[in-house]
Amino acid sequence: MLIDVDMSQLVLVDYQTRLMPAMFESELVVANAVRLAKLAALLEVPTFYTEQYPSGLGNTVPDLKAALDEARAKVLNKMQFSAIEEGLGEWLRPPAKPVQGNARSLPKHLQKPAASERSAIVIAGCEAHVCLLQTALDLLEDEFEVWVVTDACSSRTERNRDAAFDRLAGAGAELVTTEMVAFEWIRTAEHPVFKEAQALIK
């Protein structure tokens, strides 16, 4: 199963100025997050990002913030480790419009919520074993498809990061890389933005 760009939303978790210096392979991780944000901007993929306790951990690192602005991304400030606990799920799957109808309409408790038009969540972030993990597990519980971009995720230690990947894979998330996302979103060398996307990857 390939990632469908028309079904995708991008979520980037907590790439913050006071957090990133302590992350394993932080420069590479931020560079890949920037690539994802720029790809999302090119392909008009709705993009969201989070900041955990920004008054303590700082705001998003400048290079990534610039790319997120380009993607017209929406920011969620949070204190809970899972962004779903702070309302991210409502942004990713807006509440269904009320059903119009007569008295024979189904009662509310029997109405099924409308499926999200974009149910594939491409997600990456820090720390992989805390905020990223808890957000991704909650997304799976909410019946989203979750694609974790491993080379854009980190923790303070490699062991914690890898433990998060093991747990996420076991829970049903797909583990991918930045290049997998790029080429699955684009699918063909004839795509109008293929050359721009290829330049981002190279």
Side-chain angles (χ1 to χ4, degrees):
M1 185 170 64
L2 300 176
I3 311 168
D4 184 339
V5 69
D6 295 323
M7 295 293 287
S8 295
Q9 300 185 80
L10 176 65
V11 175
L12 297 176
V13 176
D14 302 352
Y15 295 86
Q16 291 162 260
T17 52
R18 290 186 200 136
L19 186 63
M20 293 315 298
M23 295 297 102
F24 177 71
E25 295 182 335
S26 65
E27 284 183 24
L28 174 67
V29 164
V30 169
N32 284 325
V34 169
R35 287 185 183 101
L36 289 168
K38 288 186 172 184
L39 284 162
L42 274 177
L43 296 163
E44 298 181 357
V45 172
T47 302
F48 305 89
Y49 67 107
T50 67
E51 293 180 345
Q52 175 75 19
Y53 178 45
S55 61
L57 294 175
N59 294 113
T60 299
V61 294
D63 286 358
L64 180 55
K65 178 67 167 68
L68 288 162
D69 287 347
E70 197 181 315
R72 295 195 288 280
K74 192 172 175 183
V75 61
L76 177 71
N77 291 326
K78 63 187 179 68
M79 294 296 286
Q80 300 271 356
F81 300 133
S82 170
I84 301 305
E85 296 289 337
E86 299 270 14
L88 180 65
E90 284 75 41
W91 291 6
L92 298 173
R93 181 180 285 145
K97 292 189 173 94
V99 176
Q100 302 296 320
N102 57 28
R104 291 188 189 139
S105 296
L106 283 175
K108 233 181 190 168
H109 69 282
L110 293 177
Q111 293 171 13
K112 281 188 104 174
S116 170
E117 289 179 19
R118 289 180 175 265
S119 57
I121 308 303
V122 175
I123 187 169
C126 301
E127 287 194 58
H129 66 295
V130 185
C131 294
L132 173 84
L133 174 82
Q134 292 186 31
T135 300
L137 289 175
D138 280 349
L139 284 167
L140 287 165
E141 197 171 313
D142 288 349
E143 298 184 349
F144 286 98
E145 293 168 29
V146 176
W147 306 80
V148 178
V149 190
T150 56
D151 60 355
C153 295
S154 193
S155 294
R156 289 183 309 272
T157 67
E158 193 176 3
R159 180 176 291 181
N160 274 324
R161 183 201 64 183
D162 292 349
F165 295 158
D166 289 346
R167 191 163 166 203
L168 286 163
E174 294 284 343
L175 303 186
V176 294
T177 65
T178 302
E179 289 199 20
M180 286 182 195
V181 174
F183 290 109
E184 288 176 37
W185 274 354
I186 288 167
R187 298 283 174 100
T188 171
E190 295 175 321
H191 195 289
V193 302
F194 171 71
K195 285 188 175 164
E196 289 169 88
Q198 190 180 39
L200 283 176
I201 297 303
K202 286 184 175 174

